[in-house]
């Protein structure tokens, strides 16, 4: 009997030891790289189904990285890297090593020391727009790229998980565990080692066509989709409501900016310079121009209308603008009754990566008859005259004669004589050294919230405000043929307040004044500008941009309450703003930003249109645990086997001698009583 008890004790203590060693520590505040597919290839990262496991190795310099590639002895490693070692070359080496099962990027250096970071292509959207079919113009080369800081890591396929964290607590957890258990490196082979398990299993593989076909296949009995079509919602508003604009020539000036940005790491795409400065400039231009038009007398002739458009999904081969061009060709943008055709576009003005530099640069595309000298340059002249009179920055021509990635390209690809220009802050390559990355944020934009104090015109919000003023005045002159009355306006104040919401926190004055019940403080206060996938609940950024534009381009309607407001007869949308007890009417509307290449949830190759899908996954997760040494694992196995065999023997012996051991007959007798 004693022997039996000893065995049990041994068993229990071994099990406890094992459980203790295998204890997982959940690591918070990590974000994964996910998998995306286009029509022919896959990009981004994935782990194996159960997650990838590897001993942690922290490589803070090149020799430490070489150690894990050449001299490491354990069976598998997950490598922790600082940002400056997170390069395409290093990653390729890690990816091709059998021993490396994953990478985690640890940012602990201070933000001042990060001079550039972009995982985007050096030529963003290099296969679409003018470069795509039908035109196939070669407009950007890797030798002379727009995004010269791009490492192109996001444009490759990695068959391992890559995570990122900048959370101090998480980083010190990893470092402590590494130091305590994995150093010194030379004696790792016989010890228990600190390890990570990184799970980010992506269901999609190969390419969009294959993935969507598999998802739709009738053999796919579980309702699981392997991937989803990327896309979202475009927002637009006519300056003069369609029903009121009855000029026979139906000429439109499109003023546009993009609504999206992206980043290698999921959920962290702040898009400050790639998106926000231009987006806010568009909102303010719209507001000012709308107010000016409202205040002009009835008999002021408006020869042209302005259509403000925010394109979504532009980071992925121009999803939004590609769709609108397609719809225009089909005569169904924004809808059949009010179709705006490509030939109705009198001028195309795009705002892109604007910031407070010494000058603004305008890029035009010159091919025969695209109205450069007859339409675009006269408009730039108006702009420059007004800017000069206000002692503001002037727009200078891009002399490089190259054409940057832009939504405008989608239009030029289908009608190359669409007159227009792109206002930017860069000449031959992006000023933005953090393009499409998680560091394209308020810090690098050098934006400081003024919070009702005086706003300097040289500050970022001062620049955005004054740019919007000048653009609105020039547009006014363009459509009415009369100079604008440049009265005092509150653009500066709005620029500061709006930028604060769009780059710093959703818990901001502009929205809390407008809709306190909707925009109360919430957990996710920083906006993510990633476009996402179609048919998902609208993303915050879409809601906010739509609400902002609606509010800024709205007519007041004097009715006393919400019920009356809902009953107002108008071709516009009406809204009741409870916080201000005010009824407004606005023409702001939306269209679907999804590629025409996907009809019926399938990918049909359509020349030049975006073909991006995003993989689905169930969860992503990083855990840390102590991985027993191979010797220990052998010991556990041998002991386990021994215990199992002994248990069988004992069991056999017990059942054989049960009568004597437990006094069997007696038990039966007593139960009979
Ligand atoms: C997908 O991307 C690859 C590489 O970036 C490119 O060569 C290919 O043309 C793209 N396919 C489509 C259908 O856009
Ligand atoms: C790399 O870092 C290790 C540990 O911090 C240090 O001992 C080594 O000298 C460094 N090597 C180089 C080349 O800087
Ligand atoms: C990473 O490794 C996989 C599998 O070995 C390979 O197919 C892929 O091309 C590699 N990625 C890069 C960017 O080298
Ligand atoms: C803005 O100013 C107000 C009043 O001075 C202050 O209460 C508030 O905390 C400030 N907000 C921020 C974000 O600094
Ligand atoms: C908004 O667009 C839809 C079609 O997408 C159209 O039916 C509706 O009338 C539009 N609303 C306004 C107020 O323009």
């Amino acid at each position: 009997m004693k022997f039996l008890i000893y065995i049990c004790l041994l068993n229990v203590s071994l099990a406890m030891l094992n459980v203790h060693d295998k204890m997982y520590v959940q690591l918070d505040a990590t974000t994964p790289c996910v998998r995306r597919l286009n029509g022919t290839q896959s990009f981004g990262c994935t782990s194996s189904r159960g997650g990838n496991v590897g001993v942690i190795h922290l490589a803070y310099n090149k020799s430490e990285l070489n150690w894990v590639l050449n001299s490491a002895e354990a069976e598998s490693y997950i490598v922790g890297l600082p940002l400056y070692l997170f390069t395409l070359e290093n990653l390729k080496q890690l990816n091709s090593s059998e021993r490396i099962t994953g990478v985690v990027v640890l940012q602990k250096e201070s933000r001042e020391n990060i001079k550039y970071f972009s995982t985007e292509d050096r030529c963003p959207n290099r296969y679409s727009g003018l470069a795509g079919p039908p035109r196939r113009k070669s407009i950007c080369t890797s030798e002379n790229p727009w995004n010269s800081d791009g490492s192109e890591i996001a444009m490759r396929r990695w068959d391992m998980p890559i995570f990122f964290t900048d959370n101090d607590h998480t980083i010190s957890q990893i470092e402590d565990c590494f130091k305590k258990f994995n150093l010194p490196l030379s004696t790792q082979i016989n010890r228990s080692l600190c390890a990570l398990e990184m799970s980010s299993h992506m269901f999609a593989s190969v390419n969009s066509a294959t993935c969507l076909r598999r998802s739709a296949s009738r053999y796919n009995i579980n309702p699981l989709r392997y991937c989803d079509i990327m896309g979202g919602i475009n927002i637009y508003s006519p300056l003069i409501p369609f029903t009121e604009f009855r000029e026979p020539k139906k000429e439109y000036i499109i003023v546009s900016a993009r609504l999206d940005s992206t980043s290698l790491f999921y959920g962290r795409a702040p898009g400050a310079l790639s998106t926000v400065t231009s987006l806010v400039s568009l909102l303010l231009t719209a507001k000012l121009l709308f107010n000016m038009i409202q205040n002009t007398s009835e008999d002021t002739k408006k020869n042209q209308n302005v259509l403000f458009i925010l394109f979504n999904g532009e980071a992925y081969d121009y999803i939004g603008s590609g769709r609108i061009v397609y719809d225009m060709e089909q005569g169904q943008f924004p809808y059949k009754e009010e179709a705006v055709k490509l030939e109705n576009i009198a001028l195309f003005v795009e705002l892109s990566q604007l910031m407070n530099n010494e000058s603004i640069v305008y890029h035009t595309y010159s091919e025969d008859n695209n109205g450069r000298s007859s339409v675009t340059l006269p408009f730039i002249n108006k702009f420059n005259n007004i800017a000069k009179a206000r002692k503001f920055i002037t727009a200078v021509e891009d002399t490089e004669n190259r054409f940057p990635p832009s939504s405008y390209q989608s239009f030029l690809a289908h009608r190359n004589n669409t007159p227009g220009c792109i206002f930017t802050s860069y000449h031959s390559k992006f000023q933005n050294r953090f393009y499409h990355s998680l560091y394209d944020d308020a810090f690098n934009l050098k934006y400081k919230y003024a919070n009702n104090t005086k706003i300097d015109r040289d500050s970022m919000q001062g620049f955005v405000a004054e740019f919007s003023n000048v653009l609105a005045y020039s547009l006014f002159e363009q459509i009415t043929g009369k100079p604008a009355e440049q009265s005092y306006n509150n653009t500066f104040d709005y620029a500061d307040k709006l930028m604060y919401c769009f780059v710093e926190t959703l818990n901001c004055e502009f929205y809390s004044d407008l809709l306190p019940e909707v925009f109360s403080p919430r957990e996710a206060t920083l906006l993510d500008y990633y476009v996402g996938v179609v048919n998902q609940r609208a993303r915050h950024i879409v809601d906010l941009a739509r609400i902002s534009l609606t509010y800024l381009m709205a007519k007041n309607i004097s009715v006393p309450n919400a019920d009356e407001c809902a009953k107002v007869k108008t071709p516009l949308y009406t809204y009741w703003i409870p916080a201000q007890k005010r009824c407004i009417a606005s023409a702001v509307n939306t269209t679907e930003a999804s590629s025409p290449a996907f009809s019926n949830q399938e990918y049909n190759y359509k020349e030049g249109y975006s073909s991006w899908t995003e993989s689905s996954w169930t969860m992503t997760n990083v855990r840390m645990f102590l991985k027993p040494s191979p010797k220990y694992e052998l010991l556990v196995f041998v002991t386990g086997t021994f215990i199992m065999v002994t248990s069988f023997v004992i069991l056999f012996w017990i059942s054989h001698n049960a009568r004597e051991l437990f006094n069997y007959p007696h038990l039966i007798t007593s139960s009979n009583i």
Side-chain angles (χ1 to χ4, degrees):
M1 272 326 262
K2 255 195 187 154
F3 177 64
L4 200 75
I5 290 165
Y6 279 135
I7 296 253
C8 279
L9 273 178
L10 182 69
N11 208 346
V12 166
S13 59
L14 262 177
M16 266 169 62
L17 212 85
N18 208 9
V19 166
H20 178 77
D21 276 2
K22 268 277 165 67
M23 278 243 266
Y24 287 104
V25 177
Q26 185 78 30
L27 296 181
D28 299 326
T30 58
T31 157
C33 147
V34 303
R35 175 140 290 176
R36 293 188 189 91
L37 318 163
N38 78 359
T40 45
Q41 260 171 253
S42 45
F43 305 82
C45 319
T46 184
S47 75
S48 62
R49 194 169 285 274
N52 288 18
V53 170
V55 171
I56 299 175
H57 180 70
L58 294 183
Y60 284 141
N61 61 31
K62 191 72 195 183
S63 56
E64 289 172 334
L65 187 64
N66 288 338
W67 180 86
V68 74
L69 286 165
N70 305 320
S71 329
E73 288 173 320
E75 160 190 16
S76 60
Y77 284 90
I78 282 176
V79 180
L81 291 175
L83 268 175
Y84 87 95
L85 289 178
F86 189 60
T87 61
L88 186 63
E89 276 320 303
N90 289 343
L91 220 49
K92 274 185 182 164
Q93 282 192 320
L94 294 170
N95 178 61
S96 61
S97 161
E98 287 289 316
R99 199 180 284 131
I100 312 298
T101 52
V103 170
V104 55
V105 183
L106 310 167
Q107 184 235 312
K108 47 175 208 168
E109 59 262 61
S110 81
R111 288 296 305 276
E112 279 84 5
N113 297 339
I114 305 170
K115 298 290 183 229
Y116 62 91
F117 183 74
S118 172
T119 55
E120 179 58 274
D121 200 338
R122 288 158 69 77
C123 290
N125 287 354
R126 76 163 80 206
Y127 302 103
S128 50
L130 283 166
R135 300 219 182 270
R136 298 191 193 281
K137 290 233 167 225
S138 156
I139 51 166
C140 177
T141 57
S142 293
E143 295 71 48
N144 197 6
W146 289 105
N147 184 32
S148 56
D149 291 311
S151 67
E152 312 202 332
I153 288 171
M155 299 311 291
R156 304 293 153 98
R157 195 189 88 205
W158 307 105
D159 285 354
M160 59 180 179
I162 301 178
F163 277 77
F164 171 91
T165 184
D166 54 3
N167 182 283
D168 291 339
H169 180 61
T170 301
I171 293 175
S172 64
Q173 275 178 306
I174 296 177
E175 284 185 336
D176 291 348
C177 192
F178 170 75
K179 282 186 193 137
K180 190 163 167 210
F181 295 100
N182 300 5
L183 292 178
L185 299 173
S186 52
T187 59
Q188 279 193 343
I189 193 76
N190 292 328
R191 280 183 288 135
S192 294
L193 297 171
C194 186
L196 285 183
E197 180 198 82
M198 308 206 299
S199 312
S200 61
H201 180 64
M202 300 287 144
F203 297 134
S205 59
V206 193
N207 59 40
S208 294
T210 311
C211 172
L212 289 170
R213 198 173 340 107
R214 276 186 199 155
S215 302
S217 155
R218 61 199 172 93
Y219 300 112
N220 179 18
I221 31 177
N222 53 349
L224 186 93
R225 292 179 323 278
Y226 295 101
C227 58
D228 294 289
I229 298 161
M230 289 179 63
I233 285 167
N234 296 313
I235 301 169
Y236 70 90
S237 178
L239 174 67
I240 304 160
F242 293 120
T243 45
E244 290 167 31
F245 182 63
R246 289 296 173 224
E247 286 297 313
K249 268 171 71 191
K250 283 239 303 193
E251 288 194 347
Y252 285 89
I253 299 174
I254 290 184
V255 177
S256 76
R258 58 190 285 202
L259 189 53
D260 70 307
S261 183
T262 189
S263 154
L264 180 67
F265 299 109
Y266 196 79
R268 301 268 311 251
L273 182 49
S274 67
T275 313
V276 177
T277 52
S278 313
L279 166 62
V280 173
S281 298
L282 181 136
L283 294 177
L284 294 175
T285 306
K287 171 191 173 348
L288 187 54
L289 189 58
F290 182 80
N291 290 351
M292 282 191 289
I293 291 294
Q294 292 296 302
N295 294 335
T296 53
S297 56
E298 282 290 315
D299 56 325
T300 308
K301 205 161 154 41
K302 291 119 192 158
N303 305 308
Q304 293 169 327
N305 198 351
V306 178
L307 199 52
F308 294 96
I309 311 184
L310 291 168
F311 297 113
N312 207 345
E314 297 300 277
Y316 292 92
D317 290 329
Y318 309 117
I319 299 176
S321 57
R323 175 57 183 267
I324 286 185
V325 167
Y326 177 83
D327 285 346
M328 282 184 172
E329 285 181 327
Q330 306 290 311
Q332 52 194 26
F333 174 81
Y335 39 92
K336 278 205 176 61
E337 298 75 31
E338 298 291 349
V340 177
K341 300 263 177 70
L342 281 174
E343 52 271 25
N344 297 133
I345 302 172
L347 180 67
F348 192 99
V349 178
E350 177 163 347
L351 315 181
S352 180
Q353 300 191 44
L354 292 167
M355 63 182 282
N356 49 351
N357 275 0
E358 300 84 52
S359 57
I360 302 167
V361 183
Y362 68 90
H363 306 258
T364 57
Y365 180 70
S366 39
E367 257 193 38
D368 295 346
N369 304 325
N370 82 337
R372 204 183 109 87
S373 53
S374 59
V375 185
T376 313
L377 294 184
F379 175 73
I380 302 277
N381 262 342
K382 288 192 183 81
F383 182 95
N384 272 339
N385 289 338
I386 294 167
K388 204 166 148 195
R390 294 177 72 89
K391 300 195 171 55
F392 183 58
I393 216 157
T394 49
V396 297
E397 177 152 20
D398 169 39
T399 47
E400 296 280 321
N401 209 15
R402 289 163 65 225
F403 202 63
S406 50
S407 312
Y408 185 24
Q409 285 199 17
S410 297
F411 291 78
L412 289 170
H414 288 257
R415 183 170 171 265
N416 70 345
N417 57 353
T418 308
C421 65
I422 311 164
F423 286 110
T424 69
S425 289
Y426 59 84
H427 275 276
S428 53
K429 61 175 192 181
F430 293 170
Q431 287 271 314
N432 191 350
R433 304 200 68 186
F434 302 92
Y435 189 69
H436 285 174
S437 86
L438 76 170
Y439 297 123
D440 186 8
D441 60 3
F443 179 89
N444 280 320
L445 194 61
K446 300 193 171 57
Y447 163 77
K448 292 231 161 38
Y449 183 37
N451 193 10
N452 296 321
T453 61
K454 190 175 175 305
I455 296 158
D456 189 2
R457 199 160 72 167
D458 295 334
S459 67
M460 192 57 73
Q461 59 271 52
F463 166 84
V464 162
E466 188 60 352
F467 174 84
S468 311
N469 283 340
V470 175
L471 182 59
Y473 296 144
S474 12
L475 287 168
F476 183 88
E477 206 173 309
Q478 181 81 9
I479 57 177
T480 62
K482 290 182 184 162
E485 226 175 273
Q486 302 181 19
S487 58
Y488 167 81
N489 64 64
N490 48 7
T491 324
F492 278 73
D493 194 34
Y494 270 109
D496 187 44
K497 295 214 165 102
L498 278 170
M499 281 192 68
Y500 185 61
C501 303
F502 280 101
V503 297
E504 292 271 13
T505 171
L506 285 175
N507 185 13
C508 59
E509 195 185 328
F510 183 82
Y511 293 117
S512 59
D513 278 3
L514 203 57
L515 297 164
E517 56 289 311
V518 182
F519 296 101
S520 55
R522 55 171 94 214
E523 355 63 85
T525 55
L526 190 65
L527 277 171
D528 174 28
Y529 286 80
Y530 174 62
V531 59
V533 299
V534 297
N535 299 332
Q536 99 205 99
R537 204 185 58 77
R539 300 179 66 87
H540 280 333
I541 171 62
V542 174
D543 288 339
L544 292 181
R546 191 176 50 76
I547 290 169
S548 310
L549 193 60
T550 301
Y551 180 75
L552 297 171
M553 290 184 79
K555 263 188 245 190
N556 279 323
I557 295 182
S558 52
V559 292
N561 56 44
D563 290 345
E564 297 287 317
C565 186
K567 279 188 230 140
V568 176
K569 275 213 158 30
T570 161
L572 308 180
Y573 287 120
T574 58
Y575 304 87
W576 177 253
I577 307 177
Q580 302 173 356
K581 299 213 176 343
R582 196 153 73 88
C583 179
I584 59 171
S586 165
V588 174
N589 211 338
T590 58
T591 67
E592 204 184 312
S594 66
S595 169
F598 300 105
S599 49
N600 309 322
Q601 303 288 302
E602 269 173 51
Y603 174 60
N604 307 311
Y605 184 71
K606 274 211 178 66
E607 294 247 303
Y609 293 111
S610 171
S611 57
W612 286 91
T613 54
E614 179 195 270
S615 174
S616 2
W617 64 87
T618 46
M619 58 126 199
T620 68
N621 187 11
V622 181
R623 298 194 296 179
M624 192 162 68
F625 64 98
L626 209 52
K627 192 170 182 285
S629 69
K631 263 192 188 164
Y632 177 82
E633 282 180 318
L634 189 69
L635 177 74
V636 171
F637 178 74
V638 170
T639 325
T641 316
F642 172 75
I643 289 170
M644 195 175 76
V645 171
T646 347
S647 310
F648 273 124
V649 171
I650 292 170
L651 210 69
F652 179 76
W653 179 78
I654 288 175
S655 65
H656 201 79
N657 299 302
R659 243 166 242 277
E660 290 97 276
L661 272 172
F662 301 115
N663 216 348
Y664 224 146
H666 172 72
L667 281 176
I668 293 169
T669 334
S670 52
S671 72
N672 282 348
I673 293 167

